[in-house]
Amino acid sequence: MGLKAYKPTSPGRRGMTGSTFEQITKKEPEKSLVLPLRKKAGRNSQGRITVRHHGGGAKRKLRIIDFKRDKSSIPAEVVAIEYDPNRSANIALIQYTDGERRYILAPLGLTPGDVICSGPDAEVKLGNALPLRRIPAGTMIHNIELGPGKGGQIVRSAGASAQVIGREDSYALVKLPSGEVRKILDRCMATIGQVGNVDHQNIHLGKAGRTRWLGRRPAVRGSVMSPRDHPHGGGEGRNPRGMNPKTPWGKPALGYKTRRNKVSDKFIVKRRK
């Protein structure tokens, strides 16, 4: 999907870029695959803000995406490529031969009219979903399961792709976009190809209002706060304060290891750093 630049009719328009949506073939979502989406503005069930800088934004509907691809050995035709406001990637509307319709993540190069399939017997072709043990080394994949039958959990954003680099016992060695090499059970499913909409990362929002449309609220720098509100606050002028960067709660903000999931350490062959 290409990018378009706007005429600099105002300071906000100068340098602003947006998507051309040239791959989108259907505007309105499929009614049977849509649910209402209620905004939470970063608040939990008690009404307390647990995620800062969330709130507002355009009204959206939730598209039900098939991350599991569990309809085995039944061919499906790509009906349309659609925009999804809830994710960076585009989605594809597919129709199985028995008439059922589902949404999947749209890989780069998938077009309406293509026929895709999933299951152990599917061929290694763009858009097909197979167990990792059936995917040859060097193949680009996305929407990867971390447990058999759980549905794709990683490598789902626009332009992302991982690579199968080998096998070890009942595991496949997969190189993730971060550079991490990880062992994943070879019974887990993955989809062939790279996630589409690769130009998403090059979009320049251009103005603060466009950020608010996405549901992001302003973030205030700690250095402009008072000492009681933030560890970076206070001092004469713009003082660096002579301390390492900290969060509002006094925890280290850069280079501080926050990983707690020691259970999956044994599956990491090579760290991302």
Side-chain angles (χ1 to χ4, degrees), residues 122-140:
E123 61 177 306
V124 181
K125 191 183 81 170
L126 179 70
N128 284 4
L130 299 85
L132 286 169
R133 64 168 174 264
R134 290 289 321 280
I135 301 176
T139 307
M140 307 296 280

Side-chain angles (χ1 to χ4, degrees), residues 5-272:
Y6 296 93
K7 289 184 179 179
T9 54
S10 67
R13 281 288 196 188
R14 190 179 302 279
M16 181 188 289
T17 57
S19 180
T20 57
F21 299 106
E22 57 194 17
Q23 291 180 345
I24 305 300
T25 60
K26 184 170 175 282
K27 285 190 176 181
E28 293 300 319
E30 192 74 10
K31 284 187 177 181
S32 61
L33 298 173
V34 163
L35 291 174
L37 188 62
R38 183 174 170 270
K39 293 184 182 298
K40 299 179 180 65
R43 287 163 171 80
N44 63 7
S45 58
Q46 295 177 317
R48 295 177 180 173
I49 294 178
T50 51
V51 183
R52 299 187 303 157
H53 315 139
H54 280 209
K59 193 173 183 179
R60 302 171 179 175
K61 292 178 181 177
L62 180 68
R63 278 76 167 166
I64 303 168
I65 311 295
D66 178 19
F67 292 117
K68 291 190 176 184
R69 299 293 298 274
D70 54 1
K71 199 149 183 166
S72 259
S73 305
I74 302 177
E77 182 183 353
V78 179
V79 177
I81 306 294
E82 295 184 24
Y83 170 75
D84 187 351
N86 304 302
R87 65 192 69 252
S88 57
N90 292 329
I91 55 177
L93 178 65
I94 62 173
Q95 181 168 330
Y96 289 94
T97 50
D98 60 3
E100 184 183 356
R101 290 191 167 194
R102 291 188 183 184
Y103 277 131
I104 64 166
L105 297 179
L108 183 64
L110 195 73
T111 54
D114 291 349
V115 177
I116 60 174
C117 192
S118 61
D121 301 326
E123 61 177 306
V124 181
K125 191 183 81 170
L126 179 70
N128 284 4
L130 299 85
L132 286 169
R133 64 168 174 264
R134 290 289 321 280
I135 301 176
T139 307
M140 307 296 280
I141 56 174
H142 67 276
N143 190 38
I144 307 166
E145 288 185 334
L146 290 178
K150 289 188 73 174
Q153 292 175 272
I154 55 175
V155 195
R156 306 194 317 194
S157 59
S161 66
Q163 190 175 24
V164 180
I165 60 174
R167 276 174 186 74
E168 189 176 301
D169 299 328
S170 59
Y171 291 92
L173 298 178
V174 179
K175 186 176 183 181
L176 302 178
S178 62
E180 178 178 294
V181 177
R182 189 183 185 96
K183 290 196 291 186
I184 302 175
L185 276 171
D186 60 9
R187 292 181 287 126
C188 293
M189 298 281 282
T191 307
I192 307 295
Q194 177 186 8
V195 184
N197 197 18
V198 293
D199 280 325
H200 177 267
Q201 62 178 356
N202 300 322
I203 291 176
H204 187 251
L205 295 179
K207 64 179 184 179
R210 200 168 165 199
T211 308
R212 298 302 297 265
W213 299 343
L214 298 176
R216 303 179 199 156
R217 295 192 65 245
V220 179
R221 291 173 295 132
S223 60
V224 299
M225 298 183 189
S226 65
R228 68 176 294 169
D229 294 320
H230 203 284
H232 296 174
E236 296 295 328
R238 293 190 181 92
N239 262 4
R241 295 279 296 172
M243 68 166 71
N244 294 324
K246 290 186 171 62
T247 67
W249 306 279
K251 302 289 184 182
L254 294 175
Y256 183 62
K257 293 184 178 179
T258 57
R259 178 181 165 83
R260 294 179 180 175
N261 184 14
K262 297 178 183 177
V263 177
S264 64
D265 279 350
K266 58 188 176 185
F267 300 120
I268 299 174
V269 178
K270 180 186 172 186
R271 293 275 182 193
R272 62 189 175 91

